[in-house]
């Protein structure tokens, strides 16, 4: 027996980089074939361009949730090859970006609107993206955790406020797609994280959260000295060497 297939009006492909445990998200409007990528990774450039070609979609934008410290973006190279415009938080001050996004700004993707939510804390220039019940949360909100807040103008108090006053006010059924997961998990929901998040769930106080974050004592990401300066210019040019 054959059953009719229905295609969602907004398609999602979740792509993975094993070295950084980073997720890249491809969103496609089924009606117009307009597409965007969130947080593309340099090492996966060929994979992503091949998929875009195979699917026959038109890539309109690449959006970054923040200036990553653990991998280098491919957004600049993608712009060279496809013309896709690069979107970044206005607070990140990225000279090479085409679009600077502030709280409440939106971008059209076919018949859909991608809404920017400013969420400083992990870094000063973090932005999450919301569309059709899906939240692309970057490192601001991870599955059962959150990003650290001890470099790139990070601020644990601001991170707490971004999550509890903005993200946790979204409907509980909102699907959460983070920038990373190190345990093989692919998605969560706002309701789950409000209940089970180890750092922010169950009504943890701001003071208790700040205490936790100030005593993580984590080593710096291995690629931070290379990745941050490269990503600050959309990885279009080689960053200057130390001492130059």
């Amino acid at each position: 027996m054959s059953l009719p297939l229905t295609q969602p009006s907004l398609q999602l492909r979740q792509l993975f980089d094993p070295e950084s445990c980073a997720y890249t998200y491809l969103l496609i409007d089924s009606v117009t074939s307009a597409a965007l990528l969130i947080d593309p990774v340099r090492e996966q450039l060929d994979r992503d361009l091949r998929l875009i070609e195979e699917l026959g979609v038109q890539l309109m934008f690449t959006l970054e949730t923040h200036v990553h410290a653990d991998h280098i973006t491919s957004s600049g190279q993608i712009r060279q090859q496809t013309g896709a415009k690069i979107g970044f938080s206005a607070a990140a001050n990225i000279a090479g970006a085409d679009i600077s996004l502030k709280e409440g700004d939106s971008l059209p993707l076919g018949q859909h609107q991608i809404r920017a939510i400013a969420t400083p804390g992990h870094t000063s220039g973090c932005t999450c993206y919301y569309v059709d019940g899906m939240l692309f949360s970057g490192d601001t909100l991870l599955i059962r955790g959150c990003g650290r807040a001890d470099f790139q103008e990070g601020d644990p108090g601001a991170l707490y406020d971004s999550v509890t006053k903005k993200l946790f006010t979204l409907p509980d059924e909102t699907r959460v797609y983070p920038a990373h997961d190190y345990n093989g998990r692919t998605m969560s929901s706002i309701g789950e994280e409000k209940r089970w998040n180890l750092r922010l769930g169950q009504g943890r106080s701001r003071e208790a959260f700040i205490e936790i974050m100030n005593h993580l004592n984590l080593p710096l990401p291995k690629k931070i000295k290379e990745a941050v300066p490269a990503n600050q210019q959309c990885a279009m040019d080689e960053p200057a060497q130390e001492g130059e």
Side-chain angles (χ1 to χ4, degrees):
M1 180 178 63
S2 62
L3 296 174
L5 296 176
T6 58
Q7 187 177 51
S9 60
L10 185 63
Q11 299 181 56
L12 168 66
R13 301 292 181 96
Q14 185 179 44
L15 307 166
F16 186 66
D17 175 60
E19 181 182 359
S20 61
C21 293
Y23 287 121
T24 296
Y25 298 96
L26 176 65
L27 292 173
I28 305 167
D29 176 70
S30 298
V31 175
T32 65
S33 294
L36 65 80
L37 277 171
I38 297 175
D39 289 339
V41 176
R42 182 177 65 178
E43 284 76 10
Q44 303 298 335
L45 173 66
D46 290 342
R47 176 202 67 187
D48 295 345
L49 290 175
R50 183 169 59 250
L51 180 60
I52 289 164
E53 181 179 3
E54 290 171 350
L55 296 177
V57 300
Q58 182 180 7
L59 192 69
M60 307 300 294
F61 309 105
T62 59
L63 301 180
E64 302 284 353
T65 56
H66 62 293
V67 176
H68 301 278
D70 54 1
H71 68 266
I72 295 175
T73 182
S74 61
S75 60
Q77 292 169 291
I78 290 173
R79 180 172 60 188
Q80 285 183 323
Q81 298 197 41
T82 70
K85 294 182 178 180
I86 300 171
F88 249 110
S89 164
N93 296 315
I94 304 300
D98 301 296
I99 304 167
S100 294
L101 295 161
K102 302 183 295 296
E103 173 73 27
D105 285 350
S106 63
L107 289 173
L109 184 69
Q111 58 188 337
H112 305 274
Q113 293 289 324
I114 314 298
R115 180 162 63 92
I117 305 173
T119 53
H122 170 59
T123 74
S124 59
C126 284
T127 295
C128 297
Y129 300 102
Y130 178 88
V131 58
D132 289 10
M134 296 182 289
L135 175 72
F136 299 92
S137 59
D139 284 12
T140 298
L141 181 62
L142 303 177
I143 299 174
R144 308 302 189 262
C146 64
R148 60 198 291 177
D150 58 342
F151 55 76
Q152 291 177 261
E153 300 178 326
D155 181 329
L159 178 55
Y160 182 90
D161 293 341
S162 290
V163 173
T164 60
K165 295 181 179 180
K166 292 185 177 181
L167 303 188
F168 278 2
T169 65
L170 295 170
D172 282 355
E173 60 270 21
T174 302
R175 288 163 282 166
V176 175
Y177 294 99
H180 296 277
D181 190 79
Y182 305 96
N183 296 289
R185 297 166 298 196
T186 57
M187 64 167 288
S188 183
S189 71
I190 290 296
E192 281 185 43
E193 296 310 312
K194 285 163 66 175
R195 183 176 182 185
W196 297 114
N197 193 285
L198 299 176
R199 295 178 183 170
L200 290 148
Q202 300 185 13
R204 187 182 297 276
S205 72
R206 193 175 191 270
E207 293 73 19
F209 175 76
I210 291 172
E211 181 71 13
I212 291 171
M213 299 300 289
N214 283 341
H215 293 88
L216 292 178
N217 298 318
L218 297 172
L220 289 176
K222 293 180 180 179
K223 289 188 175 182
I224 187 170
K225 291 184 178 181
E226 175 190 9
V228 169
N231 290 332
Q232 286 172 333
Q233 49 192 343
C234 302
M236 288 303 301
D237 301 299
E238 289 298 322
Q241 300 297 313
E242 290 186 12
E244 292 184 357

